[in-house]
Amino acid sequence: MTEAILLVGGKGTRLRPLTVHTPKPMVPAAGVPFLTHQLARARAAGVEHIVLATSYLAEVFEPHFGDGSALGLHLEYVTEKEPLGTGGAIRNVAERLRSGPDEPVLIFNGDILTGLDIPALVDTHESTGADVSLHLTRVADPRAYGLVPTDATGRVLAFLEKPQTPEEIVTDQINAGAYVFRRSVIDTIPAGRPVSVERETFPELLAAGAHLQGMVDSTYWLDLGTPAAFVRGSADLVMGRAPSPAVPGRRGDRLILPTARVAPDAKLTGGTVVGEGAFVAEGARVTGSTILPGAVIEPGAVVTDSLIGSRARVGERSVLTGAVVGDGAVVGADNELREGVRVWCDARIPAGAVRFSSDL
């Protein structure tokens, strides 16, 4: 296996306001665009040619990654005029593939952080003679996912939509978002219209008697679809809990990019990242958070498990927990922002305007 398709066309609506100006795969995680980690892991597994299926803010990718030579890859870009879904996106880039009809093509989603053993998935695919092989992972609560039960040999038996009752939870195995397709199978996906591999392609292949093989790999796996998950994934990369050859620095409690400035008495812990040109002032405490390029954390602010957008500012003594502050936004001094709050890009919150406690 030497080539892959990377699906990076989603709008990332669950991640807004992070994705208002930036496509989800390009939001920095551990100091570099998240997509960089995926490309580097694919290259480490022997992939040489990757076709990126782009759609939303498609013009951002190529200026950053170019032809891929800096990563030891050959990259190509195919942009959908209208969103085509996972299956439609795969079919839309098929003409750029070079593999023969029976050769394997790796396909993975642009929003999954995983420690998947990619060569093992390819080996499983080839040793079982499968038409499609799927990376499966086990989760404690599978209700939010599609279930993929398999037989004793790993052959897929069904694809079950999100279960609603305890009786419907027949397995804890879920589709983890990475696949190996026999090249000829890609050509059977209908062209020119939206297609979901999960809801249409895979069930139809199964009904037609195709061999779909599941490989359970329960190493690190995280869907970065929400701000809380994205912040956690970045911190896990910094601390070495999630594997990537692309983290620009040593693993540890914090990652400070070269042009960032941090006051000597500021405290950074929990996998915090301080991006290029950002500034963390004296007395500030930042834990498990991502501070994007050009952002400012003013004196005495406390930021925990939060993401502070590019050029945003957190005022003196403000306390943020589980918050997302969009690009260019300003949180004035002495505010308290708690879990789930999203401050939109360029918004302004006056000093002392949002409080949960009764006094300053």
Side-chain angles (χ1 to χ4, degrees):
M1 180 207 61
T2 60
E3 67 179 349
I5 298 170
L6 184 48
L7 304 174
V8 293
K11 291 185 176 179
T13 52
R14 291 186 297 156
L15 273 178
R16 286 180 181 166
L18 299 179
T19 51
V20 170
H21 302 128
T22 307
K24 177 168 51 177
M26 296 298 288
V27 177
V32 296
F34 174 66
L35 179 55
T36 309
H37 300 291
Q38 293 185 304
L39 294 173
R41 291 201 75 245
R43 183 67 191 92
V47 175
E48 298 172 357
H49 176 223
I50 298 181
V51 185
L52 276 69
T54 67
S55 179
Y56 177 66
L57 297 176
E59 66 277 8
V60 172
F61 295 94
E62 190 166 3
H64 185 90
F65 291 106
D67 63 2
S69 56
L71 291 168
L73 291 163
H74 176 221
L75 299 181
E76 293 189 67
Y77 306 83
V78 176
T79 301
E80 303 163 20
K81 295 187 175 122
E82 298 291 333
L84 295 172
T86 47
I90 293 167
R91 182 65 178 85
N92 193 51
V93 306
E95 64 181 24
R96 300 292 186 92
L97 298 174
R98 305 163 181 169
S99 301
D102 290 325
E103 291 183 317
V105 177
L106 175 68
I107 298 171
F108 50 118
N109 286 317
D111 55 2
I112 301 293
L113 177 59
T114 176
L116 168 67
D117 186 339
I118 295 171
L121 181 63
V122 177
D123 289 346
T124 296
H125 178 79
E126 295 187 324
S127 65
T128 60
D131 296 298
V132 179
S133 297
L134 298 86
H135 170 208
L136 307 180
T137 193
R138 293 189 171 98
V139 294
D141 183 1
R143 288 176 297 177
Y145 304 96
L147 308 186
V148 187
T150 55
D151 67 13
T153 69
R155 189 158 181 157
V156 174
L157 300 174
F159 290 90
L160 308 174
E161 278 306 300
K162 298 172 184 177
Q164 303 300 313
T165 66
E167 292 75 26
E168 292 178 298
I169 302 176
V170 298
T171 181
D172 60 356
Q173 296 175 178
I174 66 164
N175 177 355
Y179 320 111
V180 177
F181 272 65
R182 187 191 304 271
R183 169 67 184 85
S184 57
V185 174
I186 293 174
D187 292 327
T188 68
I189 300 173
R193 69 169 176 84
V195 180
S196 164
V197 288
E198 300 87 353
R199 295 180 180 84
E200 184 175 343
T201 304
F202 291 157
E204 288 182 0
L205 284 169
L206 208 57
H211 180 176
L212 277 67
Q213 185 73 20
M215 187 194 84
V216 177
D217 181 313
S218 294
T219 53
Y220 186 98
W221 184 86
L222 186 64
D223 177 351
L224 301 183
T226 66
F230 199 96
V231 170
R232 191 173 110 214
S234 177
D236 285 347
L237 283 162
V238 172
M239 292 187 290
R241 295 173 180 166
S244 170
V247 176
R250 291 189 307 170
R251 306 298 195 278
D253 237 14
R254 62 186 191 173
L255 175 65
I256 302 172
L257 275 290
T259 59
R261 295 181 299 132
V262 176
D265 66 342
K267 188 172 183 181
L268 309 179
T269 58
T272 287
V273 181
V274 184
E276 298 276 0
F279 175 53
V280 181
E282 59 271 14
R285 289 182 288 143
V286 186
T287 303
S289 298
T290 295
I291 313 302
L292 292 186
V296 174
I297 310 300
E298 294 187 356
V302 179
V303 180
T304 304
D305 298 338
S306 297
L307 196 149
I308 312 303
S310 298
R311 307 174 315 283
R313 180 176 290 266
V314 176
E316 295 184 59
R317 299 174 301 280
S318 281
V319 178
L320 278 63
T321 303
V324 177
V325 178
D327 296 342
V330 175
V331 178
D334 299 308
N335 281 290
E336 290 181 276
L337 305 181
R338 291 189 179 176
E339 278 87 353
V341 70
R342 304 181 190 216
V343 180
W344 227 250
C345 298
D346 300 313
R348 299 287 188 272
I349 297 180
V354 180
R355 306 288 304 175
F356 285 86
S357 57
S358 58
D359 51 10
L360 295 176

